[in-house]
Amino acid sequence: MSTTDDSFSITSESLSIQKPSLKDRWWHIMDTWKVGIIPLPLFVLAGVLIAVDCLGGKLPSDIVVMVATLAFFGFACGEFGKRLPIIGKLGAAAICATFIPSAMVYYGLLPDVVVESTTKFYKSTNILYLYICCIIVGSIMSMNRTTLIQGFLRIFFPMLCGEIAGMLVGMGVGMLLGLEPFQIFFFIILPIMAGGVGEGAIPLSIGYATILHMDQGVALGRVLPMVMLGGLTAIIISGCLNQLGKRFPHLTGEGQLMPNRANTDEQAPAAPAYSGKADVTTIASGALLAVLLYMLGMLGHKLIGLPAPVGMLFMAVLVKLVHGVSPKILEGSQVVYKFFQTSVTYPILFAVGVAITPWQELVHAFTLTNLLVIVSTVTTLVATGFFVGKKIGMHPIDVAIVSCCQSGQGGTGDVAILTAGNRMSLMPFAQIATRIGGAINVSVSLLVLGNFLV
């Protein structure tokens, strides 16, 4: 009789243990059901609050409301892209986070108050540059010093080879399709490699307006779609390269350009490992370091005209090489980098899609001839970077992803490309490819156009 009672009590206890309480079920939902990084209940609450503001006719553009708004829409678009069959693994999340908002604005599917507030917030705060400076400084501070030097010295050769090969193949394909060589180079290929919109398309349009005696708006209208299509192609290729790296791990360093050789590790101390235990003051110091280095970059821009992100990049490298900050602050910078990479990428891409990505320009440029020239140019550029990088002892997939950034939409394109390729730690090299490479291409090409061809 006692045995039966004991077994019954044990069974009752096991049932009571197995049955979770209402609190446990709620916590389980909060911890496991997420849209991007946002717990589902908070995501729903954010959507309700944004809808209430929109129905009231006014959505504040201050940072408090915009954090919730950009997070809600950005992670929703990114999650949608991730869940798409097949292409979800090829960078569709970054594409959807950028181009779905652009299409929604064009077709009137996004409330006007959201568009107005997002555009105002994006353009008035320059939040993209805060994002880029934290990503650049954090990734540089987490690199091995010797590897950092070798990477910067070697990356220029694959980039140069890729540009030359891409231009030659693009010209050949365009001429086979019956296009004029002048149009192919100056209005298709050069915009792709010009370094984005602000540093590439706009200076090109100003130069074309002056040299070719045409309206700047007309010139920009012809150049901008090529920049966008080149960036879109690069995002897709970067996503494919990420999948290639998962299938052939020996071809990638997962965000490292140079292999970690034993003698390299003996000659120079590695960056401090990320422990996840940095205190609040250390993290704040890491964030302040990134901001101050960007301010130095802005000062350099005023003095010598060097783009602020590039000046900041060089200053960050210098600080790293001379041991300018302690290992503790280095770890703080790394925590800041991981925070922005995880939490801010998709909201930033949504803001970019709403504020500065004209959907109609992209659609108008979707002609077969343009697509063939652009795809052949970008593919050749990236493939050349892959094989040249492999030949000179670098990780070919990571070099190829940096090469993708040579045809991106500036800083925003770098974010989308590196997100699709899951290689955000390559941001410093991407900035070199975009800013410096684009500036050289634009300057040399306008010089040749003005002095020899017109």
Side-chain angles (χ1 to χ4, degrees), residues 281-352:
T281 57
T282 301
I283 297 171
S285 298
L288 183 61
L289 173 65
V291 172
L292 293 178
L293 289 176
Y294 182 75
M295 292 178 68
L296 285 174
M298 293 174 65
L299 181 61
H301 177 67
K302 292 179 181 178
L303 295 176
I304 60 177
L306 190 68
V310 177
M312 175 195 63
L313 187 154
F314 290 147
M315 292 302 301
V317 171
L318 179 63
V319 169
K320 175 70 176 181
L321 295 182
V322 302
H323 301 288
V325 293
S326 67
K328 191 174 182 180
I329 295 179
L330 291 182
E331 184 169 5
S333 296
Q334 191 174 359
V335 175
V336 173
Y337 157 73
K338 289 182 177 295
F339 168 79
F340 274 82
Q341 178 189 12
T342 304
S343 306
V344 186
T345 299
Y346 290 114
I348 283 285
L349 291 177
F350 171 80
V352 166

Side-chain angles (χ1 to χ4, degrees), residues 152-204:
F152 273 103
L153 292 177
R154 292 196 188 188
I155 193 62
F156 288 99
F157 185 61
M159 285 169 49
L160 178 61
C161 293
E163 285 200 354
I164 294 173
M167 288 178 179
L168 291 175
V169 171
M171 287 291 294
V173 172
M175 292 175 68
L176 287 174
L177 294 172
L179 300 176
E180 296 180 1
F182 185 88
Q183 177 191 351
I184 299 169
F185 182 81
F186 286 101
F187 287 95
I188 300 181
I189 295 176
L190 183 58
I192 295 173
M193 303 181 187
V197 179
E199 297 82 3
I202 293 177
L204 270 182

Side-chain angles (χ1 to χ4, degrees), residues 327-390:
K328 191 174 182 180
I329 295 179
L330 291 182
E331 184 169 5
S333 296
Q334 191 174 359
V335 175
V336 173
Y337 157 73
K338 289 182 177 295
F339 168 79
F340 274 82
Q341 178 189 12
T342 304
S343 306
V344 186
T345 299
Y346 290 114
I348 283 285
L349 291 177
F350 171 80
V352 166
V354 171
I356 61 171
T357 306
W359 177 257
Q360 65 274 23
E361 299 289 349
L362 182 67
V363 172
H364 292 162
F366 250 98
T367 64
L368 181 60
T369 52
N370 285 345
L371 284 175
L372 289 175
V373 174
I374 290 170
V375 171
S376 62
T377 300
V378 177
T379 302
T380 303
L381 185 156
V382 175
T384 303
F386 181 97
F387 289 109
V388 172
K390 184 178 181 181

Side-chain angles (χ1 to χ4, degrees), residues 6-26:
D6 290 342
S7 63
F8 178 78
S9 65
I10 292 172
T11 305
S12 300
E13 289 176 5
S14 63
L15 287 174
S16 63
I17 293 173
Q18 291 176 359
K19 185 178 179 181
S21 66
L22 180 61
K23 177 191 69 176
D24 292 333
R25 288 199 295 267
W26 174 250

Side-chain angles (χ1 to χ4, degrees), residues 47-60 69 73 111-114:
V48 171
L49 294 175
I50 293 168
V52 169
D53 281 338
C54 291
L55 291 175
K58 185 177 181 180
L59 183 69
T69 303
F73 287 106
D112 291 340
V113 289
V114 174

